[in-house]
Structures are given as structure tokens and as C-alpha cells.
Amino acid sequence: MEDKTKPTEDPAAKTESDAAKKKPAQQEGDPARVSDLEKENRQLKAQVAELQKRVQELEAEQKAAACRSRAKKLLTRLEKQGLSFASDEDREAELKRLAELSDEAFAATEAAYERLPKSAKADKDKEEKPADSDQGGKPAAKASTETPLRSDAGVRPHDVDDRKVSLEDRLRDGFMAAYRNRVGEDSPEHSQINA
């Protein structure tokens, strides 16, 4: 049964396979053919290296364009919030600086800009309003939507005696307190506790 399913081999295929078997033996002995193949191999490797370099350049250009685009978006958003630049050169310098930042540094910069007071432009607009809105010639009180941040959070720390007390001083104070306790005198520690 296997003979029926096996395709018949034609004589042309046999001669091609025989010729293929003989060619490596001939190629090994032919130094001109080997040198030609080595030269072609070096040329192909050089082409591959050039193409890889070009791909890296294109990827770098694409990344730079994406960074520049997100920097432009950030600057546009900041300008809407009231940030202004002295000149176009300053704006371009800031754009270039933002575009060159790494992803982490850009995210940090973006977060820092988000924390900037958003009322810079609003304050200028309020100053430019006519004095009609003033009450009795007095300037209107400016109310901020953001509460000022305090480093101490409005909490006063407990008063603590931070001086260093030596072992000698602690022993003397302890012995004196024990002596006063035996004698019946009020020690400074007791007077503080009883007060």
C-alpha cells in the first residue's frame, strides 16, 4: 500500500539531487567561488548594518517628534493658564528643553506645572478691571480658591526638654528625689505632677 501512496520520482529530480550533492564538493575545492561568496556575505552584512542604523535613526526621529508634540501640548495648556514667555526665543528654548526630557522627568515637570497657581492671569485681569467694582474706593478683597499651604499644618509641637542629660545628672536627680521623698519634702518633679 505504501508504494501506491508514494509519489513516483521522475529521473530529472534524481539528476538535480545528484548534482546538488556533487556541487558542495566542487565548491569546497574552488577557492575563487569561496572568495566570491565571502565577499557577497560581507556586502550583505554591511547592508544589514546600514539598514539597522537607518531604522534606529527613524525610530529616534519618531520619538523626538512625539516628545516635541507632547511638549507643545503642555506649553499650550500652560499658556492658557496664564504662563507667558518674554519672547518667542524663550518659548522655543522651553519647548526644546521639555522635548529633550525623559518620560519620567517630563511627567515630574508636568506635575510641577500643574501645581503652579492658576490665578496668575486671573490676577492681571482683576487688576485691569475699572474701579466701579470697588466699594467706597477700597479695593475688593481677593479671595483665593486655594488655601495657602503650611509646612507645620497649623499644629504646634509639644514643648520637650531636648537637652542632653548625662548619667551623673540623672543619678543625682534620682537620688535627690528619693531623699526628698524620705524626708518628706516636695521634689521639683512632685510639685510639677501635683500642679
Side-chain angles (χ1 to χ4, degrees):
M1 282 192 174
E2 291 179 15
D3 294 339
K4 292 180 183 177
T5 58
K6 190 174 181 181
T8 58
E9 296 182 21
D10 69 300
K14 281 186 180 181
T15 58
E16 287 177 11
S17 64
D18 291 339
K21 289 178 185 175
K22 291 179 183 177
K23 279 186 181 178
Q26 289 175 351
Q27 287 179 356
E28 289 175 8
D30 189 14
R33 178 73 177 146
V34 170
S35 64
D36 288 343
L37 290 175
E38 287 175 352
K39 183 188 284 187
E40 184 180 351
N41 190 15
R42 282 191 296 268
Q43 289 173 349
L44 290 174
K45 285 182 181 179
Q47 286 178 350
V48 167
E50 270 184 48
L51 291 174
Q52 286 176 340
K53 184 179 177 183
R54 181 66 180 145
V55 165
Q56 289 174 351
E57 289 173 359
L58 290 174
E59 287 174 350
E61 288 175 11
Q62 184 180 12
K63 185 176 180 181
C67 289
R68 188 163 175 87
S69 172
R70 72 179 179 180
K72 279 184 181 179
K73 287 179 185 177
L74 178 62
L75 280 182
T76 303
R77 191 172 41 188
L78 290 174
E79 287 174 340
K80 286 180 183 177
Q81 290 179 356
L83 182 69
S84 62
F85 296 99
S87 65
D88 287 338
E89 292 173 359
D90 291 341
R91 185 180 190 284
E92 285 299 317
E94 181 67 9
L95 181 66
K96 183 180 178 186
R97 186 189 71 80
L98 289 172
E100 291 174 351
L101 292 177
S102 67
D103 292 338
E104 295 85 17
F106 185 82
T109 303
E110 191 173 23
Y113 276 134
E114 289 297 322
R115 290 188 144 183
L116 282 177
K118 298 177 183 177
S119 61
K121 200 172 211 178
D123 289 344
K124 287 182 182 179
D125 292 341
K126 288 180 184 178
E127 290 174 3
E128 292 177 3
K129 284 185 179 180
D132 296 341
S133 63
D134 295 345
Q135 299 172 355
K138 295 180 182 177
K142 295 181 181 177
S144 176
T145 58
E146 296 180 13
T147 58
L149 299 178
R150 297 176 58 174
S151 63
D152 62 356
V155 176
R156 179 172 163 76
H158 294 289
D159 291 330
V160 177
D161 188 15
D162 289 340
R163 66 181 172 184
K164 299 262 184 191
V165 180
S166 68
L167 178 61
E168 180 183 346
D169 292 337
R170 289 188 299 181
L171 285 172
R172 185 187 55 219
D173 291 343
F175 285 133
M176 288 304 293
Y179 171 76
R180 288 186 185 122
N181 190 18
R182 267 206 174 158
V183 174
E185 295 178 11
D186 277 337
S187 66
E189 292 87 21
H190 287 2
S191 62
Q192 287 178 356
I193 293 172
N194 292 336

